[in-house]
């Protein structure tokens, strides 16, 4: 058993990443969308690997002085071990170094696990996006990196 580590995602990780998404999210992305995202120069995609297996991932888009968390998921059997927190902290190191000032994300109000995670890292709810998911509103959560 090796220590969990966070590293850059590559195309070879996609089968495990797609599987995690399929089991974790109500609307998982298609493989085509994943490939597009991985190729974007504005993207930052990381995985958490342990003993050669990928247990979780995160994706950010970096645009000017803002970063947007596009996706995050951890395999259900590997949750509550601090892996999502590790992924966010590793992903945020890049925008901080690049001078990004604010990080945004959308979350379902019903997603208590994700909301607790984001709040524990300093994100605050700053707006509601009505009917964002079609079947539910989204809370817009913001992390102000300048005034932490
Ligand atoms: C949200 C998610 C990524 C959290 O992953 P995780 O690896 O279990 O999270 P961590 O272990 O790093 O948890 C960090 C903190 O988040 C909060 N948290 C995480 N899961 C929680 C839960 N089920 N209930 C309450 N708080 C929770 C806690 O504050 C936790 O700290 P603690 O364990 O010291 O109390 C995971 O539940 C998941 O993949 N969910 C499905 C996909 C999803 O909803 N993605 C987010 C879309 S916006």
């Amino acid at each position: 058993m090796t220590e969990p580590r966070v590293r850059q995602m590559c195309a070879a990780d996609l089968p495990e990443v797609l599987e995690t998404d399929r089991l974790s999210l109500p609307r998982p992305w298609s493989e085509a969308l994943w490939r597009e995202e991985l190729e974007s120069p504005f993207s930052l995609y990381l995985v958490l690997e342990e003993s050669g297996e990928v247990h979780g991932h995160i994706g950010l888009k970096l645009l000017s002085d803002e970063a947007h968390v596009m996706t995050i998921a951890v395999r259900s059997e590997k949750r509550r071990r601090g892996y999502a927190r590790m992924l966010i902290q590793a992903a945020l190191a890049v925008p901080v170094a690049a001078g990004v000032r604010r990080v945004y994300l959308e979350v379902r109000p019903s997603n208590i696990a994700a909301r607790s995670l984001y709040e524990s890292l300093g994100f605050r709810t700053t707006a509601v996006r009505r009917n964002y998911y079609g079947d539910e509103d989204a809370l817009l959560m913001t992390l102000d990196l300048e005034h932490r």
Side-chain angles (χ1 to χ4, degrees), residues 20-21 23-26 48 55-57 69-76 78-88 105-108 111-121 133 139:
T20 302
D21 258 12
L23 297 169
S24 302
L25 296 168
L48 185 138
H55 297 320
H57 56 267
V69 179
M70 306 294 289
T71 188
I72 179 168
V74 171
R75 293 241 166 180
S76 56
K78 301 289 176 184
R79 289 181 191 161
R80 294 313 287 267
R81 299 177 187 206
Y83 288 176
R85 186 177 278 138
M86 276 176 69
L87 279 161
I88 296 185
L105 57 85
E106 284 88 13
V107 60
R108 288 174 183 263
N111 194 342
I112 302 301
R115 288 175 62 187
S116 307
L117 165 71
Y118 303 141
E119 278 164 13
S120 78
L121 289 163
Y133 296 106
L139 301 179

Side-chain angles (χ1 to χ4, degrees), residues 27 68 105-111 115 125-141:
R27 290 188 194 148
H68 200 123
L105 57 85
E106 284 88 13
V107 60
R108 288 174 183 263
S110 61
N111 194 342
R115 288 175 62 187
T125 300
T126 46
V128 177
R129 297 195 157 159
R130 294 283 166 217
N131 210 23
Y132 182 83
Y133 296 106
D135 57 353
E136 198 174 346
D137 294 341
L139 301 179
L140 179 72
M141 298 189 76

Side-chain angles (χ1 to χ4, degrees), residues 11-79:
D13 297 319
L14 283 181
E16 285 171 288
V17 167
L18 282 160
E19 177 73 352
T20 302
D21 258 12
R22 191 179 66 75
L23 297 169
S24 302
L25 296 168
R27 290 188 194 148
W29 292 352
S30 66
E31 184 172 345
L33 182 55
W34 266 107
R35 288 189 183 279
E36 216 174 281
E37 283 293 311
L38 278 187
E39 281 166 19
S40 163
F42 305 109
S43 290
L44 172 68
Y45 280 86
L46 305 176
V47 293
L48 185 138
E49 184 185 69
E50 185 185 39
S51 301
E53 287 180 18
V54 170
H55 297 320
H57 56 267
I58 188 168
L60 263 69
K61 267 267 176 9
L62 305 176
L63 292 168
S64 175
D65 62 351
E66 296 179 3
H68 200 123
V69 179
M70 306 294 289
T71 188
I72 179 168
V74 171
R75 293 241 166 180
S76 56
E77 67 275 20
K78 301 289 176 184
R79 289 181 191 161

